[in-house]
Amino acid sequence: MHKIVSAIFLAENIKKIEIEAPRIAKKRKAGQFIMIRVGQSGERVPLTIADSDPEKGTITIIVQGMGKSTRELNTKEAGDTISDIVGPLGTPSHIEKFGTAVSIGGGVGTAIAYPTAVALKEAGNYVITINGARSKELVILENEMKAVSDEAYITTDDGSYGFHGFVTQKLQELIDSGKTIDYVLAIGPIPMMRAIAEVTRPYNIKTMVSLNPIMVDGTGMCGGCRVTVDNQIKFACVDGPEFDAHQVDFTNLTDRNKLYLPEEKKSAEAFAHKCNLQSAGLQYLLDLSLCHHDFPAVDLCRDGFFCINTPSFLIEITMATQHITTKERFAIPRQEMPAQKADVRNKNFKEVNLGYTPELAQKEALRCIQCKDPACIKGCPVNIKIDQFIKLIADGNFLGAARKIKEDNVLPAICGRVCPQEDQCEKTCILTKKHTSVAIGNLERFAADYERETGNVELPTVKASTGKKIAVIGSGPAGLSCANDLIQLGHSVTVFEALHELGGVLVYGIPEFRLPKEIVKSEIDGLKKLGVNFITNAVAGRSITVDELLKEEGFDAVFIGVGAGLPWFLGIPGENLLGVYSANEFLTRVNLMKSYQFPENDTPVFNCKGKNVAVFGGGNTAMDAVRTAKRLGAEHAYIVYRRSEAEMPARLEEVHHAREEGIEFLMLMNPLEFVGNEQQWLTGAKCLRMELGEPDESGRRRPVPIKGSEFILPIDMAVISIGNGSNPLIKQTTPDIEVSKRDTIVVDMNTMATSKDDVYAGGDIVTGGATVILAMGAGRTAAKAIHEKLTGIETVQPV
């Protein structure tokens, strides 16, 4: 929580708010912004930092109440609190001694222009400021701008104060007077910035604009803030927010900012009704139906679910397990996982798989023949003692099984749900030679769920303090696993997370119907009880750097587990049409921000109801996205993949579930172009049919185009799910960490040590997109190496 120090209105509906944010106040530079979340159901809104006071530890923002979030923010007073603030974000303004610099602010854009004007003055420039507003009553920061200006001008549209006209007219007047202008910064409404660009273009005056497109995370993860600059896609939150005005595609920027206008209007009207507000003569008529989303709440034993007749987990174990023969074990079929019926679950976000009953778990555990040299353990990236925990389940010792798993895996309830066991431990099960493998993942989930649901979670022993401090960047699987081992070994551990919720990809990437977020929270709560300290809203490379952690904050080592969160796009025409998402943005809106409950939660998402949605890709993320679209009401939800189903990397279970839920698979198709209407909304994808040729370097058969097979697939929404790259923020601020050609961090795979002393890394930031359990294995390897280097004591993994 962040306390508001002061809050005053500067003009009608424009408020200046000073907020406690010491870390941001210390680091903030001109041109940077924050992401702010007013309340627990609020959206993440980007706002530029107008000023800061490092000594007081405060930042100042100036807010114009337009949408629901900014209106709500403007109801706050001194002493109130704000849920979340993350920053400073964005690349700072490029400041140098240009000569004569003109800083132009239109409306509330003046609040953004002001800190840059200060920086330009401090750099030795002759500073001219032009402050524009519709009328005298809406002029803000007049005295502050004058104080840093060699020349200061006010313009009003109605002529009620200062120059009668637009800021563009005043700028043109200055140019026509013969005054040499070397640099222009323009910040305000898009039409104003576009007009300024056209004024300066003929004179070749260097002109920058600060863009504020739609954002979700603000850290480069979702790609929702993409803008077209010099015919290239840029992300405003990491590449900007300032760009060369003469290269910005303002038409596309304008179109993309209209994406959620209907939803924003509904949300603002609902908030205005709630607060009994009236603004700008609007009649706020609230449709009461907006208070209810369309997804029915369903209980486990209602119609449509497989009903499990298990009154309690605490049952008496009666099965005899000691004398069953191998032949009898072979005769037991693999126990299927109970699940919601497909035609019910594809309309709700409750978990699909319902979990084994104790009876089913024991029966499945009896299938394990207890090999003398269990190959399944070698197939597990963290080497869980699989034979031992399965034997404990067979014997009815469910708590013992859970604790045996936790000797090697701190997140068993998560891994049991999302890990690709069929390609790891279950793939090497000896039963696969003649039968189906033991359902190791299902049994792992059962044991973990049993421990949690019976309230018998037992915390491991923490060794005596070593006096060493370790920083873990990222609260995803790699970071959590590393933190768990280090805290047990007696070190002080602090985990820094960029988002407002802990869990990394487990929270923003994997849907509720596959991994309930309460389970992630429960696993993290266990680490908190062990003593791990968690700090949210801390972006590595922006809020804090690796060097600052080591040199200023006194950490003895740093582990980087930030994942690979920079979305890739197809690079085809039309990707900036309205209705084209990255999988990261689509899933983050739904999973992290719970947009499926809009307007109860403020973050909107594309209205899929009755629409045609295509997801381009064939991995687990693509399956998550297309199944989510179906739950949001899509009439047709397609997977479009350029190879055949046999080459798809998605888990077989996810493909099976998707098919049951009505997902349509369009195989051997490759998109060439997205097409849209005059309003720039997506209407279709031009696709080319493919056939399979010879295998490529991945071992999969290469897709080969079929000439003349082009056709238009009618769709209303597209989701690009072809993988992610590495976020550039750590690379930008820590150049002495070696990275590969793919911008992944280079490490010694035996220790996960990077090229920088006392810095380690693991998970997707090293390997590229991989699995939860592989990331956890990397975290454990790093924890062991960190401990041994800091203490000089060789150790086995903690128990």
Side-chain angles (χ1 to χ4, degrees), residues 362-486:
Q362 277 195 286
K363 194 170 184 180
E364 181 61 32
L366 288 173
R367 299 182 64 236
C368 177
I369 63 174
Q370 295 293 309
C371 306
K372 292 182 179 180
D373 183 22
C376 56
I377 296 178
K378 299 174 184 177
C380 173
V382 296
N383 302 126
I384 295 172
K385 303 172 186 70
I386 294 171
D387 58 331
Q388 295 181 39
F389 96 73
I390 290 180
K391 176 67 163 57
L392 288 166
I393 291 176
D395 290 342
N397 186 356
F398 303 150
L399 289 177
R403 288 157 191 170
K404 180 60 65 175
I405 297 169
K406 284 189 172 181
E407 292 178 7
D408 305 293
N409 181 1
V410 67
L411 306 174
I414 293 170
C415 291
R417 286 169 164 83
V418 303
C419 281
Q421 293 92 4
E422 66 274 14
D423 290 325
Q424 295 174 340
C425 54
E426 292 182 14
K427 185 177 182 178
T428 56
C429 175
I430 196 170
L431 294 188
T432 58
K433 293 183 177 180
K434 293 185 178 180
H435 306 276
T436 56
S437 69
V438 174
I440 298 169
N442 293 349
L443 292 173
E444 179 183 26
R445 167 187 166 153
F446 166 78
D449 287 354
Y450 179 85
E451 181 190 47
R452 184 184 68 258
E453 293 178 19
T454 57
N456 287 296
V457 176
E458 185 178 274
L459 296 177
T461 301
V462 174
K463 293 185 178 180
S465 173
T466 63
K468 302 295 183 181
K469 291 172 55 180
I470 295 96
V472 174
I473 301 175
S475 67
L480 295 178
S481 183
C482 184
N484 173 73
D485 283 9
L486 289 169

Side-chain angles (χ1 to χ4, degrees), residues 318-389:
T318 58
M319 298 182 67
T321 65
Q322 301 300 321
H323 305 294
I324 187 169
T325 66
T326 299
K327 184 176 180 180
E328 290 171 331
R329 293 180 193 273
F330 285 159
I332 302 172
R334 177 170 168 135
Q335 303 303 297
E336 295 299 320
M337 171 68 77
Q340 292 189 59
K341 287 183 177 179
D343 62 347
V344 171
R345 69 179 189 241
N346 67 4
K347 300 177 184 65
N348 69 68
F349 280 82
K350 290 184 179 291
E351 189 172 12
V352 169
N353 287 331
L354 302 180
Y356 278 161
T357 63
E359 295 90 342
L360 287 174
Q362 277 195 286
K363 194 170 184 180
E364 181 61 32
L366 288 173
R367 299 182 64 236
C368 177
I369 63 174
Q370 295 293 309
C371 306
K372 292 182 179 180
D373 183 22
C376 56
I377 296 178
K378 299 174 184 177
C380 173
V382 296
N383 302 126
I384 295 172
K385 303 172 186 70
I386 294 171
D387 58 331
Q388 295 181 39
F389 96 73

Side-chain angles (χ1 to χ4, degrees), residues 172 192-203 245-246 250:
Q172 186 68 60
M192 185 213 84
M193 293 189 291
R194 184 177 200 164
I196 292 289
E198 295 311 309
V199 168
T200 60
R201 191 187 303 274
Y203 306 97
H246 300 148
F250 285 104

Side-chain angles (χ1 to χ4, degrees), residues 40-94:
Q40 294 301 307
S41 63
E43 60 185 330
R44 295 167 64 93
V45 179
L47 294 170
T48 298
I49 305 167
D51 206 351
S52 64
D53 188 330
E55 291 187 6
K56 288 176 61 179
T58 63
I59 61 172
T60 298
I61 57 175
I62 295 178
V63 184
Q64 184 173 20
M66 299 184 69
K68 190 263 185 182
S69 296
T70 49
R71 286 174 183 268
E72 184 177 4
L73 186 54
N74 278 359
T75 66
K76 299 291 184 178
E77 301 294 344
D80 291 340
T81 58
I82 293 171
S83 290
D84 299 282
I85 300 176
V86 57
L89 301 173
T91 302
S93 300
H94 174 70

